[in-house]
Amino acid sequence: MNGWIETPLEDALEVLIDYRGKSPQKSETGIPVISAKVVKSGRILDGIEQTIAPEYYADWMRRGLPQVGDVVMTTEGPLGEVARLDETSARYALGQRIVTMRGRERVLDNGFLKYLLMSSGIQERLQSRATGSTVAGISQKSLRSMPLPLAPFAEQREIASILGALDDKIELNRRMSATLEDMARSLYRSWFVDFDPVHAKMEGRQPAYMDEATAALFPDRFGDDGLPEGWAVSSIYEISRVQYGAPFKSSAFNAEKNGRPLVRIRDLKNQQAGVYTTETHPKEYLIQPGDTVVGMDGDFTPYTWCAEPSLMNQRICCFVPLNERDHAFVRLAIPALLKAEEDAAVATTVIHLGKKDIDTFSVVLPPSSILHAFGQRANPLLSKMVAAGIEAKTLAALRDSLLPKLMSGELRVGDARNQIEEVA
């Protein structure tokens, strides 16, 4: 660690803005509020629900205004989640249990600060200074006095550049995946929910974004049942089988990667097996990249699996198309079915999904020629989405392996760049 020094955090900061003490007045619409629950895994999550009225912003933000590049950190519930503000989020309001930090010029680079706070060594220091028996939190005084290992400023910027480039690529892949899924979802809705091609032909128009051969597959009228002529409502089992997870013994779980990766309900959102198991179960099923998997308790969100093949634990199911041609159709038909089931379950306060519930699932099915045409368009979109998700996982694993080594001085910048080039 040639040239590295340790200094209290406050000596390396130009600004520390702390909005703890009370919560801002909420409004139905307005300026988004950065709260502890939206800072996760190095970024600020999309879809922030809490807002404040624009006219209240100046009154609430009297303790200081954030700037682009500032680092925000959660101080409790949970402690130590970190993100960096961009041009959009720097205009948001700061909520309770959040502090905002800005490094002193030519002493502490903000990018370096973000990754330093994310490193295992500093996370351990944060936890060691935390108080609270139920929810761990850190006082401003304790945070300010926490010692930080600082590389020479030029090296800080190089380290931040290396790790930031990986994060930028991960974020690009995430946005690309979301765009591809939105495109596939829009196409599904147009064809099989709004029946746009049928309405267009009824009105004597050429269906939008469709060649004549594909348009010819659609009818130009609706039947008495309200569906396009020749279409029908059929059981989900006409196009898909459902595979259920097996009850693996928790006594065989381990974090040392002995055996095979196992996915539990809690692991679905992170798209990563949470444990490994040495057990072999007669009813086991190995989900593959691209599979549609669903948790059956609490939240019936469908996920397209974008990680290594993994075993499914109990209370997870996988919808497997009977014909690979229908892969995208099955994936895009499932959300509405699950949403209806979840709404019904919430009304009765029983948030569980069972085989009897899935047995009632039905979908609008067109002739096989239209399913084939849809698959030709939508399947490649989902395939690219899965590829982007897998690449993001690889890049995140590389970032996570480099982070502690760079932040401890164990790995030099040049060696880190070589490792990245080998993966790229």
Side-chain angles (χ1 to χ4, degrees):
M1 300 179 67
N2 185 32
W4 288 56
I5 60 171
E6 282 223 350
T7 185
L9 173 63
E10 65 179 345
D11 290 349
L13 291 180
E14 177 183 331
V15 170
L16 190 150
I17 308 171
D18 191 339
Y19 275 85
R20 282 177 288 181
K22 64 176 183 176
S23 298
Q25 297 176 8
K26 299 179 183 179
S27 63
E28 291 187 3
T29 59
I31 298 172
V33 176
I34 300 174
S35 64
K37 68 179 181 179
V38 303
V39 181
K40 188 74 174 176
S41 302
R43 70 184 188 92
I44 295 173
L45 302 181
D46 297 330
I48 296 177
E49 296 179 357
Q50 183 180 354
T51 57
I52 63 172
E55 59 270 21
Y56 175 60
Y57 179 85
D59 182 57
W60 171 252
M61 297 291 288
R62 283 180 295 178
R63 296 184 189 177
L65 299 176
Q67 295 181 5
V68 175
D70 285 355
V71 175
V72 293
M73 188 187 81
T74 61
T75 56
E76 65 176 7
L79 169 62
E81 290 285 353
V82 182
R84 198 170 175 198
L85 302 181
D86 59 19
E87 291 185 358
T88 298
S89 55
R91 297 195 295 268
Y92 294 170
L94 302 174
Q96 197 176 26
R97 306 196 305 277
I98 290 285
V99 294
T100 302
M101 293 171 277
R102 188 178 310 143
R104 193 180 299 277
E105 187 176 0
R106 300 205 60 79
V107 173
L108 177 58
D109 177 76
N110 283 343
F112 180 82
L113 174 61
K114 170 191 170 181
Y115 293 111
L116 186 59
L117 292 170
M118 291 173 64
S119 68
S120 57
I122 300 304
Q123 286 288 312
E124 290 172 2
R125 293 187 187 186
L126 286 169
Q127 295 299 329
S128 70
R129 289 168 168 259
T131 58
S133 56
T134 304
V135 179
I138 189 169
S139 68
Q140 185 182 138
K141 180 179 179 181
S142 186
L143 178 62
R144 284 181 174 275
S145 64
M146 184 178 70
L148 289 184
L150 298 184
F153 188 74
E155 188 174 346
Q156 289 182 32
R157 301 194 70 175
E158 287 188 277
I159 291 173
S161 174
I162 290 172
L163 297 173
L166 290 172
D167 269 339
D168 288 346
K169 178 60 176 174
I170 292 169
E171 178 63 13
L172 178 63
N173 281 2
R174 187 189 68 81
R175 293 183 180 180
M176 183 188 305
S177 292
T179 298
L180 290 166
E181 187 169 17
D182 283 346
M183 291 170 62
R185 189 184 299 114
S186 296
L187 184 63
Y188 176 89
R189 181 173 185 82
S190 175
W191 285 26
F192 305 119
V193 178
D194 297 332
F195 309 125
D196 289 336
V198 181
H199 285 293
K201 293 183 70 172
M202 286 180 65
E203 297 168 4
R205 296 182 289 106
Q206 173 71 18
Y209 312 111
M210 186 177 291
D211 58 60
E212 291 186 6
T214 304
L217 302 175
F218 287 83
D220 57 5
R221 62 178 62 88
F222 290 89
D224 294 337
D225 57 4
L227 296 177
E229 190 174 64
W231 294 27
V233 174
S234 301
S235 166
I236 189 67
Y237 296 125
E238 290 292 319
I239 56 170
S240 174
R241 65 184 176 89
V242 181
Q243 182 70 43
Y244 296 92
F248 287 92
K249 298 176 183 176
S250 59
S251 58
F253 294 176
N254 69 88
E256 290 73 38
K257 298 190 176 182
N258 294 324
R260 294 173 294 170
L262 178 69
V263 178
R264 303 158 298 177
I265 289 179
R266 73 189 77 171
D267 303 320
L268 290 176
K269 190 172 184 178
N270 293 330
Q271 289 277 302
Q272 187 170 338
V275 295
Y276 280 67
T277 180
T278 54
E279 181 184 2
T280 298
H281 197 285
K283 294 184 178 181
E284 69 182 34
Y285 183 77
L286 199 68
I287 55 175
Q288 302 293 326
D291 279 353
T292 300
V293 289
V294 177
M296 301 174 68
D297 291 315
D299 176 18
F300 307 153
T301 300
Y303 295 92
T304 301
W305 189 246
C306 296
E308 64 180 328
S310 303
L311 295 167
M312 280 195 306
N313 199 32
Q314 60 187 340
R315 304 304 297 158
I316 298 178
C317 65
C318 178
F319 289 83
V320 184
L322 301 180
N323 190 320
E324 186 56 32
R325 167 204 67 190
D326 300 330
H327 183 92
F329 183 88
V330 170
R331 172 63 182 86
L332 297 164
I334 293 301
L337 302 175
L338 293 171
K339 182 64 168 60
E341 192 63 37
E342 186 172 5
D343 290 345
V346 169
T348 61
T349 71
V350 181
I351 316 297
H352 302 295
L353 181 68
K355 183 180 182 303
K356 289 183 179 179
D357 303 311
I358 295 175
D359 287 345
T360 66
F361 285 2
S362 59
V363 294
V364 173
L365 275 186
S368 60
S369 57
I370 294 179
L371 284 174
H372 178 72
F374 180 76
Q376 286 183 315
R377 290 159 177 76
N379 285 342
L381 297 176
L382 291 190
S383 294
K384 291 178 181 178
M385 183 188 81
V386 172
I390 292 174
E391 183 181 55
K393 278 281 184 292
T394 301
L395 294 171
L398 176 59
R399 178 203 60 202
D400 293 344
S401 69
L402 293 177
L403 178 58
K405 296 177 182 178
L406 284 168
M407 291 303 171
S408 67
E410 175 187 343
L411 184 68
R412 308 309 299 172
V413 169
D415 294 331
R417 293 192 187 280
N418 291 336
Q419 289 190 30
I420 293 174
E421 290 176 0
E422 289 175 5
V423 173

